[in-house]
């Protein structure tokens, strides 16, 4: 079976993790040019009288693919017509020497707002700021107007919207038993809706489940 690969045009990690000292959050940090993407939830790192405000730290992944290239490839006959091809979201585990969690689930949903990749690099101290981040999606460079997420951590949908096909639910998930597996999700229905402009392509947000993010 032939495989045709499309590479993401934008990617970023957004986080509300605590900075060094565990007193302030890195909600304005940007990792748009970092060489890896990180999704995590950390619970109970901070302590003290205000621990309730500093207990859970999260990060989420943003990805956007050039759907116009998919449409062009279909017009050129490089890939089959709708219904005769499947589209998979694939991400690869970045190996490292540190302990990894097990038995967690990652969820992918389509974003509903335009966002900027940014040029941050620091994934440890979170000293690089910019757009997108945990609070803001983008900034209009010509006017300086900041476009904030309606909900901090990114805006996304789980059900059909904007003419989605057959009330399809746009939620995809995979459980990682060992914690080092690659991600592979069949997102064919969403990509087809993007390609036919039934839904605007703002890309994916990838996150842990609500319960796992919440520190439960």
């Amino acid at each position: 079976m032939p495989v045709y690969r499309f590479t993401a045009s934008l990617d970023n990690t957004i986080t509300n993790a605590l900075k060094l000292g565990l007193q302030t959050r890195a909600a304005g940090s940007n990792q748009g040019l970092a060489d890896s993407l990180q999704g995590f939830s950390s619970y109970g790192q901070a302590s003290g009288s205000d621990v309730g405000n500093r207990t859970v730290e999260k990060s989420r992944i943003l990805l956007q693919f050039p759907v116009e290239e998919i449409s062009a490839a279909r017009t050129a006959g490089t890939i089959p017509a709708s219904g005769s091809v499947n589209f998979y979201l694939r991400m690869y585990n970045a190996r490292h020497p540190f302990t990894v969690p097990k038995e967690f689930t990652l969820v992918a949903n389509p974003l509903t707002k335009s966002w900027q990749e940014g040029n941050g690099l620091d994934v440890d101290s979170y000293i690089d700021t910019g757009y997108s981040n945990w609070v803001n999606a983008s900034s209009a460079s010509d006017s300086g107007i900041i476009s904030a997420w309606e909900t901090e951590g990114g805006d996304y949908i789980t059900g059909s919207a904007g003419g989605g096909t057959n009330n399809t639910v746009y939620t995809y998930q995979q459980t990682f038993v060992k914690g080092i597996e690659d991600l592979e999700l069949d997102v064919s229905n969403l990509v087809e809706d993007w390609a036919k402009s039934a839904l605007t392509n703002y890309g994916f947000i990838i996150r842990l489940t609500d319960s796992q993010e919440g520190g439960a």
Side-chain angles (χ1 to χ4, degrees), residues 39-181:
F40 64 78
S41 177
S42 178
Y43 178 79
Q45 182 178 203
S47 62
S49 59
D50 62 340
V51 67
N53 296 323
R54 298 187 283 119
T55 298
V56 180
E57 305 166 65
K58 311 174 187 178
S59 79
R60 295 171 173 176
I61 295 167
L62 309 182
L63 288 171
Q64 187 169 1
F65 289 84
V67 174
E68 64 278 4
E69 292 184 11
I70 296 175
S71 299
R74 175 166 284 164
T75 299
T78 306
I79 61 174
S82 177
S84 300
V85 64
N86 289 82
F87 295 97
Y88 290 89
L89 172 62
R90 295 208 65 184
M91 299 179 67
Y92 300 92
N93 175 53
R95 296 186 178 185
H96 55 73
F98 306 107
T99 302
V100 298
K102 298 184 292 183
E103 299 291 347
F104 63 88
T105 299
L106 289 181
V107 184
N109 295 107
L111 287 159
T112 59
K113 184 186 285 288
S114 176
W115 53 281
Q116 290 174 302
E117 183 176 46
N119 56 11
L121 291 168
D122 184 7
V123 301
D124 296 310
S125 302
Y126 307 118
I127 62 173
D128 296 330
T129 60
Y131 307 104
S132 53
N133 54 47
W134 191 260
V135 178
N136 299 313
S138 62
S139 173
S141 57
D142 55 344
S143 64
I145 298 174
I146 296 172
S147 176
W149 299 112
E150 292 183 18
T151 302
E152 289 190 4
D155 302 329
Y156 56 91
I157 58 173
T158 56
S160 63
T165 302
N166 299 323
N167 295 317
T168 301
V169 176
Y170 299 124
T171 299
Y172 316 90
Q173 63 183 44
Q174 177 179 325
T175 297
F176 292 73
V177 177
K178 295 181 179 180
I180 57 173
E181 298 91 337

